[in-house]
Amino acid sequence: MDNIANSVGRIFVSRFWGSYADKNSFAKMDMLCFGVAALAFTFVVFSNPANGLFTMTGYNLLHAIALGGINSSFINLIFDLVPPERRSDSLAVTQVASGIAGFLTTLAVSPFIDFVQSRGNKLFGISVYAQQITAAVSVILSIVAIIYTGKALVKSKKS
């Protein structure tokens, strides 16, 4: 069910994101996509075994919508901001940096997830899962990405 929601979300949003970016900019599209990603992660924050089908389907759908724009804009931002002779190098560096960051993040967060799951944590009598905590951090990081993109890319393109 989640894969279906993911694919459907991606299919229907790709044309919208392209049109939005053409009218506004890829940086502004990125900000909107990070907002959708924050909303997606919020679904996970409030997810539990009783509502998991609904919340995880909502997460997968919104996350697919967000990534449909984010993946496109990252590549296109390089074409907007990097001189033509450096574009292929920039694309390669961003892909390598993304891979390394993902790997290192997994290494760093895995012990934390094991720790939380082994303790059976409760907050106000409610079970709190490691995925909810990492999703809350993702909401915060998505908001930071919105602010950074607004200050570094949107404002810099105006000046």
Side-chain angles (χ1 to χ4, degrees), residues 25-81:
S25 73
F26 285 104
K28 287 182 181 178
M29 181 180 81
D30 240 3
M31 292 174 64
L32 189 56
C33 290
F34 285 131
V36 174
L39 183 59
F41 293 126
T42 301
F43 270 77
V44 179
V45 170
F46 295 105
S47 186
N48 61 52
N51 66 11
L53 179 63
F54 169 74
T55 55
M56 293 313 293
T57 301
Y59 160 77
N60 279 310
L61 180 61
L62 290 171
H63 195 251
I65 289 169
L67 287 181
I70 291 170
N71 290 338
S72 169
S73 71
F74 276 11
I75 292 168
N76 284 297
L77 280 171
I78 289 173
F79 284 97
D80 279 353
L81 302 171

Side-chain angles (χ1 to χ4, degrees), residues 106-120:
T106 301
L107 284 179
V109 174
S110 291
F112 170 75
I113 289 175
D114 291 341
F115 173 76
V116 171
Q117 288 178 330
S118 69
R119 297 186 50 104

Side-chain angles (χ1 to χ4, degrees), residues 119-132:
R119 297 186 50 104
N121 291 344
K122 289 194 178 263
L123 181 64
F124 305 117
I126 300 170
S127 293
V128 177
Y129 300 93
Q131 294 84 347
Q132 292 171 303

Side-chain angles (χ1 to χ4, degrees), residues 80-99:
D80 279 353
L81 302 171
V82 176
E85 64 276 1
R86 296 226 165 141
R87 287 180 183 158
S88 86
D89 294 340
S90 297
L91 286 167
V93 168
T94 59
Q95 293 301 310
V96 169
S98 295

